[in-house]
Amino acid sequence: MAYEIQDGDAPQIERHTMAVLVDNEPGVLARVVGLFSGRGYNIESLTVAEIDRSGHMSRITVVTSGTLMIIEQIKAQLMRLVPVHKVVDLTIEAPHVERELALVKVVGKGDARVEALRIADIFRARVVDSSNKSFVFEIVGKTGKINAFVELMEPLGLKDVSRTGVVAIARGVTAL
C-alpha cells in the first residue's frame, strides 16, 4: 500500500494498530514507550498483558498515527529492541478485530436518568453500578462507538470515564 505524493499533496496521516510480542520482564514497556517519546511519536492507545506464562511473553497493543513512512520507521525501530520478538501492523498485514472497554459514570436525576438509560440500551451498554443519583455503564466496542457514547452522555451528567485502550487480534487462523 504505497502512497504517491502528487504536486502539493502532503503525506496522509493514518491510524495504525500494532501488536508487539515481547519478553515479559521489567523495563520492556519503558523501552517501548521510550522509543515513541524519544522520537516524538504519539501513542493513542496502549495495552499490555502477559500471554504466555511459561514462555515469559507479553503482548503490547499500541495504536499510533503517522504517515506510512513514519509507521514503517516505528516498526523497524521496534524490531531493533532486544526484548521484541515480533511486530505486526494489524492495520495493513491482517484482517483483525479491535475492541475497547469503558466504564462511564453519569450523574443526574429525572429525565436525564431516563435518557441515559435509553441511550445505554441503544449502545448495548450495561449498568454495572447504580445509585439514586448515578449510573456506571460498561460499554465494549470499537473506539468510535465508545467516543459516540461518551459524547452523548456529556449533556446528561457525564462525571467520569475510564477506558482500557484498544485490544486487537488477527481474524481467522493467523496468529501473532
Side-chain angles (χ1 to χ4, degrees):
M1 183 151 94
Y3 178 79
E4 283 185 37
I5 297 178
Q6 303 292 322
D7 293 329
D9 281 352
Q12 188 174 351
I13 304 294
E14 298 178 359
R15 181 180 177 270
H16 285 253
T17 302
M18 289 183 244
V20 184
L21 190 62
V22 299
D23 290 335
N24 185 17
E25 58 186 40
V28 172
L29 181 60
R31 290 177 68 191
V32 169
V33 170
L35 182 146
F36 278 81
S37 65
R39 289 160 181 81
Y41 303 143
N42 187 42
I43 295 174
E44 296 176 18
S45 173
L46 179 71
T47 59
V48 184
E50 183 177 59
I51 60 168
D52 181 0
R53 185 171 298 261
S54 64
H56 305 290
M57 302 291 279
S58 288
R59 177 189 184 114
I60 299 173
T61 304
V62 61
V63 178
T64 190
S65 294
T67 64
L68 285 178
M69 186 176 79
I70 288 173
I71 298 299
E72 288 302 318
Q73 286 175 351
I74 290 170
K75 289 191 300 190
Q77 291 166 358
L78 282 169
M79 279 306 299
R80 281 190 229 134
L81 293 177
V82 172
V84 173
H85 294 277
K86 190 171 186 180
V87 177
V88 176
D89 184 347
L90 292 167
T91 304
I92 292 175
E93 297 177 33
H96 65 285
V97 177
E98 285 187 21
R99 291 294 181 266
E100 183 175 1
L101 177 135
L103 296 175
V104 179
K105 183 183 292 184
V106 179
V107 175
K109 46 189 171 173
D111 290 343
R113 282 178 66 82
V114 173
E115 183 66 6
L117 284 171
R118 188 184 70 75
I119 292 170
D121 187 49
I122 292 168
F123 278 80
R124 295 188 179 137
R126 289 187 329 127
V127 175
V128 293
D129 185 62
S130 178
S131 74
N132 290 336
K133 297 180 182 177
S134 70
F135 290 115
V136 175
F137 297 105
E138 173 188 80
I139 182 167
V140 177
K142 291 186 176 183
T143 300
K145 175 183 175 180
I146 307 290
N147 292 342
F149 183 74
V150 168
E151 187 176 306
L152 288 171
M153 290 297 160
E154 284 176 359
L156 300 175
L158 178 72
K159 284 297 178 199
D160 200 3
V161 179
S162 180
R163 296 172 77 150
T164 61
V166 173
V167 293
I169 194 164
R171 297 185 67 197
V173 297
T174 305
L176 180 63

